[in-house]
């Protein structure tokens, strides 16, 4: 009745931005990401506890944060088809939570896989991905390692909306993602609220959906060929387009800070000098730099020269895995 899982966060190369169903977390478009190691979240779930308790990163979770965790475990109970009793959850991450790296993605992926295992359900990446998606959309892409594609699906019940691994972590082992933390502050508008407002008010939103959907197979081809330059260009283009559709929302949503723009400018200059480095940007000010193993030190130096207060160097990560050692 107890299981522990370690899962890695992921960074979207083609972003997910906007839901067609908010309750089930179904996206308007497909997306594609890379799972990132060594950073990870570890989560232990136990059913049959005296009462429901949720501890996240050393604090008792409250309000909507706690509800999201318990709702996911309710879905596990439905899958198990029996009364599993109250649950105890303890989760810990080893990376800066405000890094804009969607720690929720690793957290909900670990919770989904651990929840199913603690309930005695068999390992099933599709079922875990669907479950993780119901906690946080991007989490469905952290159940497996390497390059994962979240297919938007067509069904109203969401059973065809889950992530598939296209290439494992070993496919492109010398690809590097360098997270440049230029701002540690909590973002003003969370992804969930930002994407909702963009869907509802941005006149550019339909164009975003069409474009992002078309970029996914292109990104897949470039990853197959390990074409860093073309993939870097695609990533930047997709990040700019996600941010453009948000800037066009009412009120406008701007996640970029002056430090973000300074770093992007510097990165372009470095590229002209022959350093193969590109960026992507989630719903926050901290760029994630795409490069190869031979240039990760240069990418870190570039980030620090532009005022990054912290830098996290990442490599392609593996699947969410069951551990034998528990957190309690
Ligand atoms: C910009 O998955 O955190 O990072 O589904 O509402 O929990 P919810 O949102 P979340 O949003 C991630 C948005 C993004 C792009 C991406 O990871 O694809």
């Amino acid at each position: 009745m107890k299981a522990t899982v370690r899962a890695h966060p992921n960074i979207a190369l083609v972003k997910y931005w906007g839901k067609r169903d908010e309750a089930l977390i179904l996206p308007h478009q497909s997306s594609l990401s890379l799972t990132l190691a060594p950073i990870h979240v570890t989560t232990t779930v136990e059913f049959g506890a005296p009462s429901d308790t949720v501890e996240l990163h050393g604090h008792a979770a409250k309000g909507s944060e706690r509800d999201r965790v318990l709702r996911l475990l309710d879905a596990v109970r439905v899958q198990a088809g029996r009364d599993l009793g109250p649950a105890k959850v303890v989760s810990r991450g080893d990376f800066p939570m405000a890094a804009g790296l969607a720690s929720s993605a690793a957290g909900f992926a670990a919770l989904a896989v651990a929840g199913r295992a603690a309930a005695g359900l068999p390992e099933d990446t599709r079922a875990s991905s669907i479950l993780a998606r119901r906690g946080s959309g991007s989490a469905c892409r952290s159940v497996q390692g390497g390059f994962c594609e979240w297919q938007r699906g067509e069904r109203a019940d969401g059973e065809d909306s889950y992530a598939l691994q296209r290439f494992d972590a070993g496919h492109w082992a010398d690809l590097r993602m360098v997270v440049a933390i230029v701002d540690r502050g909590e973002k003003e508008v969370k992804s969930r609220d930002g994407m909702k407002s963009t869907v509802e008010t941005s006149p550019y939103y339909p164009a975003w959906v069409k474009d992002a959907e078309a970029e996914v197979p292109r990104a897949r081809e470039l990853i197959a060929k390990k074409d860093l330059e073309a993939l870097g260009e695609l990533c930047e283009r997709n990040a700019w387009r996600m941010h453009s559709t948000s800037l066009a929302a009412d009120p406008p949503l701007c996640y970029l800070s002056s430090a973000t723009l300074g770093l992007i400018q510097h990165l372009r200059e470095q590229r002209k000098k022959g350093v193969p480095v590109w960026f992507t940007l989630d719903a926050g000010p901290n760029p994630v730099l795409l490069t190869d193993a031979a240039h990760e030190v240069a990418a870190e130096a570039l980030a620090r020269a532009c005022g990054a207060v912290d830098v996290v160097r990442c490599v392609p990560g593996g699947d969410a895995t069951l551990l034998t050692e528990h957190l309690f």
Side-chain angles (χ1 to χ4, degrees), residues 3-10 35-36 39-45 54-57 65 68-70 72-73 76 89-95 97 101-116 128-129 131-144 192 320-321 327:
T4 300
V5 168
R6 169 173 293 180
H8 298 288
N10 68 76
T35 302
L36 300 178
I39 48 179
H40 60 262
V41 169
T42 305
T43 302
T44 299
V45 177
V54 180
E55 185 196 305
L56 302 178
H57 316 301
E65 202 177 33
R68 270 169 87 178
V69 170
L70 295 179
L72 194 150
L73 295 178
V76 172
V89 177
V90 175
S91 183
R92 270 179 224 149
D94 74 337
F95 57 101
M97 291 301 147
L101 265 179
S103 59
S104 62
F108 281 109
L111 182 70
V113 179
R116 280 182 56 89
S128 294
S129 179
L131 199 56
R133 188 203 75 219
R134 295 181 61 177
S136 182
S138 53
C140 76
R141 301 183 312 233
S142 269
V143 168
Q144 286 182 285
R192 186 158 291 192
T321 43
L327 293 179

Side-chain angles (χ1 to χ4, degrees), residues 12 15-16 19 25 68 136-138 141 191-192 195 282-283:
K15 312 286 181 198
Y16 140 58
K19 300 176 181 66
I25 310 197
R68 270 169 87 178
S136 182
S138 53
R141 301 183 312 233
S191 300
R192 186 158 291 192
M195 67 175 83
D282 277 349

Side-chain angles (χ1 to χ4, degrees), residues 250-265:
D250 190 12
L253 267 168
C254 182
Y255 287 106
L256 292 81
S257 71
S258 51
T260 316
L261 286 169
L263 196 150
I264 290 171
Q265 197 64 40

Side-chain angles (χ1 to χ4, degrees), residues 11 13 25 44 60 168 180 226 246 257 297:
I11 180 77
L13 309 176
I25 310 197
T44 299
D168 68 16
K226 300 184 209 166
S246 305
S257 71
V297 172

